[in-house]
Amino acid sequence: MATTFSNLLYHVVFSTKNRLPLIHDEIRGPLYEYMGGILRGEGGILLEVGGMPDHVHLLAKMKTDVAVAIMVKKIKGRSSKWLNERPGSRERFGWQTGYGIFSVSASLADRVRRYIRLQEEHHRRVTFREELVMLLERNGIPYDERYLLG
């Protein structure tokens, strides 16, 4: 019987390099599936994924024995490599260096899932930069304007 019990839920946000709108409709679904596969391969679970042409949001459950930074690095690195190796890829794909990550209480998971699913509606009113600042402030994370993702 396992002796470690956990429910580590994370809301992860990262953007494309230079905030270019590279996540086209035809690659969005396969990209999201691929990211889910990366998480599964590392023992995690992708609970929700969504975003816009220039950024993604993931709600993921992760294991205790893999550092969050390592997991995000694997997701970003493997997915960009996969996109760049796809036949007929239009542009060179890359992710921004940084990311935002926020712990999520199990009691709020459904609310975060809904937020991620409604990204297109949300971004009719709010820019990515405004969204990121809101997430940082809501989570009590200090930031320097010069280093925001976009």
Side-chain angles (χ1 to χ4, degrees):
M1 176 182 206
T3 57
T4 302
F5 303 98
S6 69
N7 190 27
L8 302 177
L9 302 176
Y10 297 100
H11 178 188
V12 187
V13 183
F14 48 90
S15 64
T16 58
K17 189 171 182 107
N18 300 317
R19 296 270 329 282
L20 294 172
L22 300 175
I23 306 171
H24 308 290
D25 288 342
E26 62 272 9
I27 67 164
R28 183 173 291 132
L31 171 62
Y32 291 172
E33 289 176 25
Y34 193 80
M35 291 174 147
I38 295 167
L39 272 158
R40 281 190 305 280
E42 298 294 328
I45 301 169
L46 181 61
L47 301 172
E48 194 68 53
V49 61
M52 298 297 290
D54 64 352
H55 71 278
V56 296
H57 291 256
L58 310 172
L59 178 61
K61 187 172 190 171
M62 297 184 199
K63 292 174 55 176
T64 59
D65 61 349
V66 178
V68 173
I70 300 295
M71 182 64 79
V72 174
K73 183 177 181 178
K74 287 179 180 184
I75 293 167
K76 290 170 66 178
R78 291 177 187 173
S79 64
S80 63
K81 182 177 189 288
W82 177 76
L83 281 169
N84 285 318
E85 291 175 349
R86 281 176 54 104
S89 57
R90 297 185 199 176
E91 304 97 345
R92 180 92 179 130
F93 189 90
W95 297 110
Q96 288 283 73
T97 302
Y99 58 91
I101 189 160
F102 313 96
S103 58
V104 176
S105 166
S107 64
L108 296 175
D110 286 340
R111 187 171 162 185
V112 174
R113 288 177 89 133
R114 185 175 190 280
Y115 177 81
I116 292 171
R117 274 195 303 269
L118 297 176
Q119 278 295 292
E120 288 188 32
E121 179 181 315
H122 178 69
H123 283 290
R124 288 187 194 121
R125 302 179 314 271
V126 178
T127 67
F128 176 64
R129 184 181 190 89
E130 291 168 335
E131 174 183 54
L132 182 59
V133 167
M134 182 258 322
L135 288 167
L136 293 170
E137 290 177 350
R138 190 177 284 169
N139 286 278
I141 300 172
Y143 60 94
D144 184 326
E145 288 277 340
R146 296 175 296 174
Y147 303 110
L148 289 178
L149 307 171

